[in-house]
Amino acid sequence: MAPLTDKTALVTGASRGIGRGIAERLGRDGALVAVHYGTQETAAKETVAAIRESGGRAFPVRAELGVDGDVAALYAAFDAGLEAQGAQPGLDILVNNAAASGSGPIDAVEPAVFDRLVAINVKAPLFLVQEGLKRLRDGGRVINISSAVTRHAFPESVAYAMTKGALDTMTLALAKGLGSRGITVNSVAPGFVATDMNARRRATPEARAALAAHSVFNRIGEPSDIADVVAFLASDDARWITGQYLDVSGGTGL
């Protein structure tokens, strides 16, 4: 039996990149996966199709994050999707992956951009957990996708780094607060990964080599490198791990 059989997972920002990799891996492990997306409908449908083609179960959930009513809209779509699948109400695994990037160095940060990053990267995950707890079963999992920029200085995008630091702090508080229900809460922190977010940074062979050099393995990470760790945390094998920051950056900065 697959390790996540009879489990239901919700992965935010799952249409592309790391989120897609996570959704596909959880699907292969037997979970029914709610593939959340904001605007990339075609990409989300491709993720759902890929999971189904591998023998898994999945359905799309559309909701724009960082706007009024975002959490209510997301869970309304999630609940409706479960019903359409003939699945029992409830949730076992919440992966807060959706995030906005950018902001630039300190002299380039603009209030509107800062507010958007906080709304998507901090406020949305917090209230997704709050509302999700009405559905999350005892013994469930909350997995927050953080970033190596919370442990290694990244002045190129100071506001983004700040929001991921806030996510790590939330992880600690929730891990202690939800322990009585057997719910584990952990952060997973990638380094540079080959996704659309880093496309500009790896546009030339020289740029790709520079990014790869950050890792002791001299390569850029792949979504599967992150997804495999998330799958472990989602499984029963990780039942004794909570409140932790797992560096999944390929040894960046060692």
Side-chain angles (χ1 to χ4, degrees):
M1 181 179 293
L4 299 180
T5 298
D6 298 327
K7 303 293 186 182
T8 297
L10 168 61
V11 183
T12 66
S15 63
R16 298 178 298 170
I18 292 174
R20 178 173 182 169
I22 292 169
E24 292 185 356
R25 173 59 199 269
L26 297 183
R28 289 197 300 273
D29 283 359
L32 170 60
V33 184
V35 175
H36 163 263
Y37 69 99
T39 59
Q40 301 292 328
E41 181 177 9
T42 298
K45 289 181 176 179
E46 290 172 354
T47 302
V48 170
I51 293 170
R52 291 175 176 172
E53 287 168 6
S54 296
R57 300 176 299 149
F59 62 94
V61 172
R62 183 190 180 282
E64 182 181 356
L65 297 181
V67 299
D68 290 343
D70 54 356
V71 171
L74 190 153
Y75 279 115
F78 172 76
D79 294 341
L82 286 181
E83 184 175 2
Q85 293 290 314
Q88 291 294 317
L91 179 63
D92 300 287
I93 303 157
L94 171 61
V95 182
N96 282 310
N97 168 76
S101 63
S103 78
I106 184 60
D107 58 353
V109 177
E110 298 178 356
V113 174
F114 177 83
D115 290 345
R116 177 173 178 270
L117 292 180
V118 171
I120 297 173
N121 299 2
V122 182
K123 183 179 179 181
L126 174 65
F127 288 100
L128 282 169
V129 173
Q130 182 189 68
E131 181 64 23
L133 287 174
K134 300 174 184 177
R135 299 161 176 82
L136 196 64
R137 299 180 179 94
D138 290 356
R141 302 284 188 265
V142 177
I143 302 165
N144 299 317
I145 307 304
S146 179
S147 172
V149 300
T150 67
R151 297 295 189 274
H152 303 281
F154 194 62
E156 296 93 332
S157 191
V158 62
Y160 173 78
M162 290 171 64
T163 64
K164 290 300 186 178
L167 198 65
D168 292 344
T169 301
M170 184 183 84
T171 294
L172 281 175
L174 292 180
K176 188 167 186 178
L178 300 179
S180 62
R181 290 184 53 190
I183 296 171
T184 68
V185 187
N186 292 288
S187 288
V188 170
F192 290 111
V193 180
T195 65
D196 291 348
M197 183 179 291
N198 290 317
R200 178 179 57 83
R201 290 178 170 272
R202 51 190 175 86
T204 66
E206 294 77 14
R208 289 193 293 273
L211 289 187
H214 286 278
S215 165
V216 298
F217 304 118
N218 196 36
R219 71 172 176 86
I220 301 172
E222 295 293 336
S224 60
D225 294 321
I226 316 306
D228 290 349
V229 175
V230 171
F232 164 68
L233 290 175
S235 75
D236 189 58
D237 288 345
R239 62 192 175 276
W240 205 235
I241 300 173
T242 195
Q244 299 306 302
Y245 171 96
L246 281 75
D247 184 304
V248 191
S249 69
T252 292
L254 294 180

